[in-house]
Amino acid sequence: MKILVTGANGFLGYYLCKQLLLQGYKVLATGRGECRLPFTSSPSFNYISMDLADIDQTRTVVSQLNFDFIFHAAAIGKPDDCELDKTRATAVNAEGTGMLLELIANTKTPVCYISTDFVFDGKEGNYAEDGLVNPINHYGVTKAQAELLVRAYPGDWSIVRTVLVYGRPMTGRSNLLSIVQEKLTQGQTYSVVDDQIRTPTYVEDLVAGLLLLLEKRALGVYNLCGEEILTPFEMAVKTAKYLGLNHELLIRTSSASLQQLAQRPLVTGLKIDKAKEELGFMPRSFEQGLMDTFRPH
Ligand SMILES: NC(=O)c1ccc[n+]([C@@H]2O[C@H](COP(=O)([O-])OP(=O)(O)OC[C@H]3O[C@@H](n4cnc5c(N)ncnc54)[C@H](OP(=O)(O)O)[C@@H]3O)[C@@H](O)[C@H]2O)c1
């Protein structure tokens, strides 16, 4: 079975491609520009450059390839970047998704779209799959728009929402844990918010959930995230203590005083009962995720 992965060069993309290959799938990885993945020696791995902002390139690539399933993970995923260039964020995250779906609509290839807790406004928290979508920043708006396009897709579709993904960054963006390690190792202070509530997700748990969803051909919306409720500041302190770094360099701060470009939903966190019951999803504890993030590779 051949799986097309978009955003394959990204943080999630690396772990997803790696696990798909380990499980015996053929992987058609797509990303912006050159391949940054170390799997090119595998006969089951192919990389093709595909920029979702480039309509002609995407059309050419999609029309020339055969694949049986798509994990659509490509996105401009940093909320502040989306706020800074709303037009581009809409073009890639929403219109790019729409174009991809349009190009495969006649084949009805099953699609799994990777979405986010940022489609919610953060007033309630602990959102189930049918929670009220009401984004408060442009990143969330574009992801919610893409979700609507996926829901209208004529083939089989699933939407996986996840939360504050952490782990060892291999080819993609850094994350809270890796930033804490870097800053504190250099003796720098780091301001971290303590008024946002999240259910952080270890990247390999997210991948395990995506593979379960693929194997079971599960359809519809699923939350795949950790089960523990933590603030970013709590995560940062646990990380510093685990690494034996000076946690007093961490400055507890509030969302209001941090003045980030994109407003963040305060209380998110997602319920994972559905994924546990229907998929057998079993995320690890944050303590275990910390160990796995920093275990020597
Ligand atoms: N990380 C989280 O905490 C988190 C939480 C909730 C949801 N998500 C979702 O999870 C998915 C994967 O994110 P991630 O954490 O792996 O972030 P990431 O490392 O930034 O991966 C996203 C990938 O999308 C690629 N991309 C950006 N613009 C593109 C374009 N025009 N055409 C093709 N590819 C493009 C990026 O390419 P470059 O590498 O070249 O920039 C990057 O490799 C995203 O859909 C994100 O919204 C992530």
Side-chain angles (χ1 to χ4, degrees), residues 14 35 37 54 124 205 272:
Y14 167 89
C35 178
L37 297 158
D54 183 336
E124 260 176 53
D205 285 340
I272 55 169

Side-chain angles (χ1 to χ4, degrees), residues 2-8 27-33 46-67 70 99-100 103-104 107 109:
K2 200 183 270 186
I3 316 289
L4 186 136
V5 178
T6 72
V27 175
L28 205 46
T30 68
R32 249 188 341 176
N46 268 299
Y47 179 89
I48 293 149
S49 182
M50 189 177 90
D51 185 334
L52 282 172
D54 183 336
I55 298 175
D56 293 335
Q57 189 187 42
T58 304
R59 188 181 291 118
T60 309
V61 171
V62 172
S63 63
Q64 285 174 359
L65 299 175
N66 287 316
F67 42 87
I70 304 183
M99 176 181 50
L100 187 64
L103 290 169
I104 55 165
T107 66
T109 308

Side-chain angles (χ1 to χ4, degrees), residues 108-209:
K108 295 206 171 75
T109 308
V111 175
C112 173
Y113 175 63
I114 316 301
S115 193
T116 169
D117 56 332
F118 277 32
V119 297
F120 297 116
D121 58 19
K123 290 184 182 152
E124 260 176 53
N126 198 23
Y127 294 97
E129 282 77 1
D130 60 357
L132 179 70
V133 169
N134 185 29
I136 59 165
N137 61 38
H138 194 68
Y139 167 64
V141 167
T142 62
K143 298 293 283 185
Q145 286 169 339
E147 284 194 3
L148 283 179
L149 295 167
V150 173
R151 285 173 186 269
Y153 178 64
D156 285 350
W157 60 265
S158 52
I159 292 170
V160 165
R161 297 195 184 119
T162 190
V163 183
L164 214 171
V165 187
Y166 69 92
R168 178 185 293 246
M170 300 301 285
T171 50
R173 64 192 279 193
S174 53
N175 58 82
L176 180 59
L177 271 59
S178 59
I179 297 170
V180 167
Q181 181 186 33
E182 193 188 315
K183 297 266 186 196
L184 270 46
T185 303
Q186 291 169 3
Q188 293 175 21
T189 56
Y190 184 44
S191 298
V192 191
V193 292
D194 202 24
D195 60 354
Q196 293 175 16
I197 306 292
R198 300 288 182 260
T199 45
T201 312
Y202 181 62
V203 64
E204 293 186 273
D205 285 340
L206 172 57
V207 167

